[in-house]
Amino acid sequence: MPPPLAARPSPLDRALHLDALRWAWRRVRANKGGAGADGVTLHRFARLLDANLLALADEVRDGGYRPGAYHRVTIFEGGKPRRLAIPPVRDRVLQRAVLDVLMPSLDRRFLPCSFGYRPGRSLHDAVERIVRLRDSGLIWVLDADIRACFDRLDHGTLRSLVAAAVPDPEMRALLDTWIAGPPPRPNRPRPTRGLPQGAVISPLLANLYLHELDRGLTRRRYRLVRYADDFIVLCQSERHAERALRATERVLGGLKLELHPAKTRITSFEAGFDFLGVHFEGTDYTYVTDDKRIVIDTLPPEWFHYHAEGYDGRDRG
């Protein structure tokens, strides 16, 4: 018989349990990220690991927890700069513990068209879905790009979505501290938009936000494939793709986002396009390795591990 409802630990209590924090620490350590703005490295945090974890849990329970400042770095992926904001180690551990608690319930809300940063779903699965939709006759493509997506996610909209998806008020309050971010510099207003690329919790919150895009297009009977903020809509004809473009603009407008006009286009499998580092053209799909383009029927699983484009949620710096 399950314990009485009042005796069950809350989601926040589960995240703050020492075993949960130890597990989260192992996940953060495995990512080998750098220090946050406080300069505390993984090695230094590990010296008094349990003491640091217990102090962190006490701060959250007592209401004194505040996220630390980010260490901002720029990395280059595929020759393109990507700005990362790396939280302190203790924040990353806490976010990982919260992520582990929230992911099962939130992931059940997400639709089959979403593949990024979800357990049991991968780039390989996304490519397979694209091929299946192509083979069903959807040969025209809206190749879409959201303008500065992570930087423009609206905090008010995100808080409303969190309120609807996370019933526990203590957990919502903790998530709100990460949505708001660390205190701004003197004489600067607190941002009302954006999630840091580099924070462990950001991919889950972004998926919760962009789930509304999935719902909006799916309700209109469009077929899409989304991996984080990268997505395509597959259509029967060029005219159908033009309608999909207008529908996407309307749905994103309701989310206070917009398409990047220079990076969004209507194309087809015959003309070819790139998505998630894979080039689709005709009935082939290919990838580049060692400056050579390889045309194959099935991409090997190891390719997806090493060639995924876009932010992958790892702590870097």
Side-chain angles (χ1 to χ4, degrees):
M1 178 180 296
L5 187 60
R8 296 177 185 173
S10 70
L12 184 60
D13 287 335
R14 286 157 48 205
L16 296 180
H17 192 281
L18 183 57
D19 287 343
L21 291 172
R22 284 172 176 160
W23 173 249
W25 154 253
R26 288 195 288 270
R27 299 293 298 274
V28 169
R29 181 184 59 187
N31 281 329
K32 300 180 181 179
D38 61 359
V40 176
T41 62
L42 292 167
H43 179 72
R44 180 176 166 188
F45 192 86
R47 290 177 186 169
L48 298 171
L49 179 61
D50 280 3
N52 286 329
L53 297 178
L54 290 170
L56 177 60
D58 286 343
E59 276 188 39
V60 177
R61 291 191 183 100
D62 295 342
Y65 169 77
R66 298 292 183 274
Y70 305 132
H71 172 55
R72 299 187 181 276
V73 298
T74 300
I75 64 172
F76 289 85
E77 293 182 341
K80 297 183 294 186
R82 183 176 295 274
R83 296 177 298 166
L84 299 182
I86 309 300
V89 171
R90 67 198 308 268
D91 292 342
R92 302 200 309 260
V93 171
L94 183 58
Q95 289 184 12
R96 179 74 240 186
V98 167
L99 176 67
D100 290 340
V101 169
L102 291 181
M103 177 63 83
S105 61
L106 291 186
D107 190 72
R108 287 194 292 268
R109 304 170 67 94
F110 300 152
L111 299 181
C113 59
S114 168
F115 292 90
Y117 319 121
R118 297 182 60 188
R121 300 174 70 79
S122 67
L123 276 168
H124 189 280
D125 298 320
V127 170
E128 285 188 346
R129 176 177 168 89
I130 292 169
V131 172
R132 287 197 305 271
L133 292 174
R134 178 202 67 192
D135 292 347
S136 73
L138 304 182
I139 59 174
W140 283 86
V141 176
L142 169 61
D143 183 6
D145 185 278
I146 302 175
R147 187 195 294 270
C149 180
F150 271 81
D151 293 338
R152 294 186 175 209
L153 296 178
D154 179 71
H155 290 178
T157 302
L158 180 55
R159 289 187 176 102
S160 296
L161 296 171
V162 168
V166 180
D168 182 63
E170 293 179 318
M171 188 65 85
R172 290 200 305 268
L174 181 56
L175 290 171
D176 188 67
T177 67
W178 294 325
I179 293 171
R185 298 175 187 175
N187 302 319
R188 291 197 177 185
R190 185 176 287 278
T192 60
R193 287 175 173 260
L195 288 176
Q197 296 190 61
V200 176
I201 202 68
S202 289
L204 179 62
L205 293 176
N207 262 343
L208 182 64
Y209 200 105
L210 294 176
H211 172 62
E212 299 305 306
L213 170 66
D214 301 340
R215 291 179 63 212
L217 292 180
T218 300
R219 281 199 302 263
R220 293 165 169 82
R221 300 182 181 275
Y222 290 108
R223 310 297 292 275
L224 71 152
V225 176
R226 181 175 65 80
Y227 196 101
D229 57 334
D230 293 321
F231 72 100
I232 59 174
V233 185
L234 294 98
C235 303
Q236 297 172 344
S237 65
E238 185 175 13
R239 184 176 179 182
H240 187 210
E242 290 169 350
R243 292 199 299 269
L245 172 59
R246 294 191 291 271
T248 301
E249 289 173 333
R250 289 194 294 270
V251 174
L252 286 177
L255 294 171
K256 301 183 180 180
L257 296 171
E258 62 182 3
L259 292 171
H260 195 303
K263 298 180 180 180
T264 298
R265 64 184 183 126
I266 291 173
T267 184
S268 67
F269 281 92
E270 181 180 358
F273 64 96
D274 295 303
F275 184 61
L276 303 175
V278 182
H279 182 74
F280 296 87
E281 187 169 342
T283 58
D284 295 328
Y285 50 106
T286 68
Y287 70 100
V288 174
T289 182
D290 297 329
D291 297 323
K292 297 179 181 179
R293 181 164 292 279
I294 310 299
V295 181
I296 52 180
D297 294 327
T298 303
L299 292 172
E302 59 268 19
W303 182 91
F304 294 93
H305 180 73
Y306 292 109
H307 292 78
E309 289 191 349
Y311 169 63
D312 60 8
R314 289 179 292 174
D315 309 317
R316 308 187 193 184

